Amino acid sequence: MSWLEIGNTILGAVGFTITVVTLVKVQSVHRAQTEERALLRRLYGTESLADHLRSAAGFLRQGEQDARNLAEELVRMCGRIEGISRALDSMNRLRGAAAGEQRMVRLVERGYYTPPFYNRVVNDAENNADFLMYRNLQVSAVDLLQSMERAAKRGVHIRILAISSASSDSVLEQASLVLPWPQVPPDTLRRQLAESEERIRTVVSGWPVRVRRNFEYRGYVITPNMHFARMDGTVLQGFVGTLSPAQPDQLEDRGYLELPRDREPGATLSRHFEELWAQSAGQIVAGGDT
């Protein structure tokens, strides 16, 4: 026997073995699926219901009164079958909806707009980090500004919108009602905003030009009604314009939601940010170098 014939024989044997293994696996899958269907039928009683229906149909050939009674029993049996089907469909829909909501919305129970919150947004952002807030005290902290500088150096675009110290008295008065602790009167708030703006302006002016191009802080002069952050494709939103007494006693206890930026309500919040950003083009405090 030549080497060619031996090779063909070996290849044929290998092919036959693969075919047998594949056939065994297919049969195993079919057997498992058959057993699963049988188990489901036993669990939900559909086989028993079908047997009852067949028996009842046979007795319908008897007397008139028996036929009416059995017809009513058939109706009840059918109702049970339909009820089981609706229950199964409902369970599937609920599972799908719950899984979708879990993927779309995540609740974080603590830490909204605390120093770790700021740092997480800035440090974890890959492309964009946007902040819409009332008061700018925490933004002026040196360690946070250093984190923002490092993020801007690696290419993250950072935009900040906070109440402007140039806002009218009525805007600052409204802001004082929704500010978290510590509450301050409007004139004190104006001074705090101005001092923080100056510190931010001073620190950012020392950054390299290419870094400042990735950072911009603007002040807005309308009545505050939103408060959230965006990190790439995620919107992080906590309380929205709630009165100060309604907020938790400790800032660390404030929870927030993580929402997808491209779906509601995250999409509406994102559009709000862009509209307010455009309206605030005349109130650039720091950064934005071209």
Side-chain angles (χ1 to χ4, degrees):
M1 181 180 294
S2 66
W3 286 108
L4 180 60
E5 292 175 341
I6 294 174
N8 289 336
T9 301
I10 294 174
L11 290 177
V14 171
F16 177 76
T17 303
I18 293 174
T19 301
V20 171
V21 171
T22 303
L23 180 60
V24 170
K25 288 184 177 180
V26 170
Q27 290 178 343
S28 176
V29 171
H30 286 167
R31 183 165 54 254
Q33 291 174 341
T34 301
E35 292 174 352
E36 182 181 7
R37 287 194 295 270
L39 177 60
L40 286 175
R41 286 195 295 271
R42 288 196 298 272
L43 287 174
Y44 293 109
T46 53
E47 288 187 343
S48 176
L49 290 175
D51 290 341
H52 284 300
L53 288 175
R54 282 192 293 269
S55 298
F59 281 103
L60 282 176
R61 298 186 180 91
Q62 298 180 8
E64 183 178 347
Q65 184 60 42
D66 291 338
R68 284 198 297 267
N69 293 338
L70 289 171
E72 292 177 1
E73 182 66 18
L74 282 174
V75 172
R76 286 194 292 270
M77 293 288 184
C78 290
R80 288 178 60 189
I81 292 176
E82 292 173 356
I84 291 172
S85 298
R86 286 195 296 268
L88 290 173
D89 291 341
S90 177
M91 289 173 62
N92 289 333
R93 286 195 297 269
L94 288 175
R95 289 194 191 100
E101 291 175 0
Q102 187 174 12
R103 288 192 299 269
M104 291 174 58
V105 179
R106 174 174 176 260
L107 171 63
V108 181
E109 296 185 355
R110 293 171 54 85
Y112 182 61
Y113 261 89
T114 57
F117 175 90
Y118 279 102
N119 280 290
R120 178 206 164 192
V121 173
V122 171
N123 295 332
D124 291 355
E126 297 179 359
N127 299 299
N128 306 93
D130 300 327
F131 297 93
L132 175 57
M133 65 190 73
Y134 303 150
R135 186 163 43 192
N136 58 3
L137 296 180
Q138 293 193 70
V139 179
S140 63
V142 174
D143 57 342
L144 178 58
L145 287 172
Q146 289 176 341
S147 295
M148 290 185 174
E149 181 182 9
R150 288 193 294 269
K153 283 181 179 179
R154 69 172 190 270
V156 177
H157 294 268
I158 302 171
R159 295 185 296 176
I160 299 173
L161 276 170
I163 299 172
S164 172
S165 61
S167 299
S168 65
D169 291 341
S170 62
V171 168
L172 295 180
E173 184 175 359
Q174 179 64 29
S176 67
L177 298 176
V178 297
L179 284 174
W181 181 91
Q183 287 184 275
V184 294
D187 56 342
T188 303
L189 176 58
R190 187 186 301 279
R191 176 177 54 79
Q192 289 179 345
L193 291 170
E195 290 175 352
S196 294
E197 288 172 355
E198 182 58 31
R199 283 198 297 273
I200 295 168
R201 185 183 298 112
T202 300
V203 171
V204 173
S205 65
W207 295 357
V209 174
R210 68 175 185 83
V211 178
R212 292 201 304 268
R213 289 173 180 167
N214 287 332
F215 176 92
E216 187 166 349
Y217 174 112
R218 296 182 183 181
Y220 63 86
V221 295
I222 66 172
T223 302
N225 59 0
M226 290 288 176
H227 196 286
F228 61 90
R230 295 192 307 186
M231 178 177 61
D232 298 328
T234 303
V235 176
L236 304 93
Q237 183 193 23
F239 64 88
V240 180
T242 57
L243 294 174
S244 183
Q247 299 171 26
D249 294 333
Q250 301 296 323
L251 299 185
E252 291 78 8
D253 292 336
R254 296 182 301 191
Y256 61 96
L257 296 175
E258 294 186 356
L259 310 166
R261 180 174 177 171
D262 58 349
R263 297 185 182 181
E264 297 298 348
T268 295
L269 295 174
S270 293
R271 289 193 297 271
H272 175 80
F273 184 94
E274 299 302 336
E275 288 289 334
L276 188 56
W277 183 259
Q279 290 184 21
S280 305
Q283 299 291 334
I284 298 176
V285 175
D289 294 53
T290 57

